[in-house]
């Protein structure tokens, strides 16, 4: 009997904290669960940087584009639902990285609401008011402070368990943290390591889905090319210098993006022009262009 009780206790402790928690049925409920607005009062500069980052708009694409629209349209992709009302989380494999909290904290009804919003936003017959409302709904789905500093902060879950409820994770321990919900901060061994970013900016093909698809290779090229060639910097060293939570580039900022690319990529172009005399009096103009592109980035460009 004592052995049985011991096994039952271990089984209970091994369950994720979200296993018994009620899941979000709507986009608003999911957004509220992972709301990070309270962080702004103490971390205003960091919060402002995050607001301008792509993490704050993981479904909006560049220049306000609705990047998930093909997934919502019938026949748009292998994952697209036949009927918007029957959409499920499985119709959106992009959630794995673009909205990881949905995988553990959302009901299929959130996928239905998202599908309908995406279709409305792209419907030429919809009113401007309805389109604006639909886009605003999609924009509520964000990779917030809570996602990075709790949900994705631990990767050795067999040893460490799931991230604790009411705890944030950072680069050091803090016994007291001035927040009503997250009252303490614990150290995450991976917070300053590239493997943390690699959870989403991944190794390549996603084989775990019913329909395998190719996606981000940033971490893969970093791990398999940059590190073996002697590279020593982490993703955070380059993209979060001095704790910058914009995590550049911000592709909506053309000047900033161009400056970053100019720093990371060298382009050397040499040309040779001449006239080819095939026979007396017959001159043919020729040009030879030699181009060498050298990248100093820790990964291939472009990638995601």
């Amino acid at each position: 009997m004592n052995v049985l009780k011991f096994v039952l206790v271990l089984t209970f402790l091994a369950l994720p904290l979200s296993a018994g928690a009620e899941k979000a049925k709507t986009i608003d409920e999911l957004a509220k669960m992972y709301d990070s607005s309270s962080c702004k009062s103490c971390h205003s500069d960091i919060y402002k940087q995050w607001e301008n980052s792509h993490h704050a708009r993981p479904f909006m694409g560049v220049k306000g584009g609705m990047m998930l629209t093909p997934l919502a349209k019938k026949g748009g992709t292998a994952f697209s639902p036949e009927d918007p009302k029957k959409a499920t989380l499985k119709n959106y494999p992009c959630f794995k990285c673009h909205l990881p909290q949905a995988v553990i904290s959302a009901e299929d009804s959130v996928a239905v609401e998202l599908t309908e919003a995406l279709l409305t936003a792209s419907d030429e017959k919809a009113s401007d008011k309805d389109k604006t409302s639909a886009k605003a709904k999609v924009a509520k789905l964000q990779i917030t402070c809570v996602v990075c500093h709790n949900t994705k902060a631990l990767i050795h879950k067999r040893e460490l368990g799931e991230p604790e409820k009411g705890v944030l994770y950072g680069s050091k321990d803090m016994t007291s943290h001035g927040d009503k919900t997250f009252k303490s901060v614990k150290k995450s061994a991976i917070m300053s390591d590239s493997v943390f970013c690699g959870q989403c900016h991944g190794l390549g093909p996603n084989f775990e889905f019913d329909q395998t698809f190719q996606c981000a290779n940033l971490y893969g090229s970093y791990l398999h090319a940059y590190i073996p060639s002697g590279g020593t910097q982490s993703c955070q060293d380059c993209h979060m210098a001095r704790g910058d939570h914009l995590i550049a580039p911000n592709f909506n900022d053309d000047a900033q993006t161009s400056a970053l690319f100019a720093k990371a990529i060298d382009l050397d172009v040499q040309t040779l022009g001449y006239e080819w005399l095939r026979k007396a009096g017959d001159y043919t103009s020729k040009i030879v262009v030699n181009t060498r592109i050298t990248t100093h980035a820790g990964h291939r460009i472009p990638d995601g």
Side-chain angles (χ1 to χ4, degrees), residues 224-235:
H224 300 146
Y226 174 72
I227 294 299
S229 67
T232 59
Q233 291 184 298
S234 68
C235 305

Side-chain angles (χ1 to χ4, degrees), residues 34 36 50 53-58 97-101 140-148 152 200:
Y34 289 83
S36 297
W50 168 80
S53 75
H54 286 291
H55 286 104
R57 50 179 188 276
C97 295
H98 285 260
L99 199 70
Q101 64 267 42
K140 292 179 180 180
L141 299 172
Q142 302 173 308
I143 298 175
T144 66
C145 309
V146 178
V147 176
C148 289
K152 306 296 287 186
C200 288

Side-chain angles (χ1 to χ4, degrees), residues 96-286:
K96 171 186 174 182
C97 295
H98 285 260
L99 199 70
Q101 64 267 42
V103 177
I104 60 174
S105 299
E107 299 279 5
D108 286 334
S109 53
V110 171
V112 172
E113 188 177 5
L114 174 61
T115 301
E116 292 177 336
L118 290 169
L119 292 175
T120 299
S122 63
D123 187 357
E124 296 180 357
K125 297 180 180 179
S127 67
D128 290 340
K129 181 179 179 180
D130 287 342
K131 288 182 179 180
T132 300
S133 177
K135 287 185 177 182
K137 182 174 289 188
V138 176
K140 292 179 180 180
L141 299 172
Q142 302 173 308
I143 298 175
T144 66
C145 309
V146 178
V147 176
C148 289
H149 288 278
N150 181 273
T151 308
K152 306 296 287 186
L154 302 177
I155 59 174
H156 300 101
K157 295 184 176 67
R158 282 187 178 271
E159 297 172 296
L160 303 175
E162 295 288 329
E164 296 179 39
K165 185 177 181 180
V167 174
L168 291 179
Y169 294 83
S171 57
K172 61 183 179 180
D173 290 319
M174 293 176 61
T175 55
S176 179
H177 179 246
D179 187 86
K180 294 180 180 179
T181 303
F182 297 96
K183 299 179 180 179
S184 65
V185 178
K186 292 189 175 182
K187 182 177 180 178
S188 166
I190 64 167
M191 192 59 64
S192 300
D193 194 283
S194 294
V195 72
F196 175 80
C197 307
Q199 293 178 84
C200 288
H201 299 277
L203 289 167
N206 294 272
F207 291 113
E208 71 267 36
F209 297 101
D210 294 338
Q211 180 79 12
T212 300
F213 64 97
Q214 178 66 52
C215 203
N217 282 293
L218 272 179
Y219 183 60
S221 62
Y222 166 86
L223 203 61
H224 300 146
Y226 174 72
I227 294 299
S229 67
T232 59
Q233 291 184 298
S234 68
C235 305
Q236 292 88 334
D237 288 333
C238 293
H239 292 274
M240 297 186 70
R242 297 178 297 279
D244 187 351
H245 281 64
L246 173 66
I247 313 179
N250 171 11
F251 292 109
N252 285 348
D253 185 336
D254 294 336
Q256 181 250 35
T257 302
S258 295
L260 190 64
F261 282 163
K263 183 179 179 181
I265 301 173
D266 289 336
L267 175 62
D268 179 36
V269 180
Q270 297 183 0
T271 61
L272 172 65
Y274 63 93
E275 289 185 326
W276 181 24
L277 179 59
R278 298 189 64 180
K279 59 183 179 180
D282 183 7
Y283 293 93
T284 302
S285 297
K286 295 284 186 179

Side-chain angles (χ1 to χ4, degrees), residues 63-86:
K63 308 295 185 182
M66 307 294 284
M67 59 173 290
L68 289 186
T69 300
L71 283 166
K73 292 184 175 180
K74 180 180 178 179
T77 72
F79 292 97
S80 301
E82 289 292 311
D83 180 352
K85 294 292 185 183
K86 295 181 180 180

Side-chain angles (χ1 to χ4, degrees), residues 43-60:
H43 306 282
S44 57
D45 289 343
I46 288 176
Y47 195 86
K48 185 176 181 180
Q49 292 165 357
W50 168 80
E51 284 184 308
N52 289 306
S53 75
H54 286 291
H55 286 104
R57 50 179 188 276
F59 288 168
M60 303 306 291

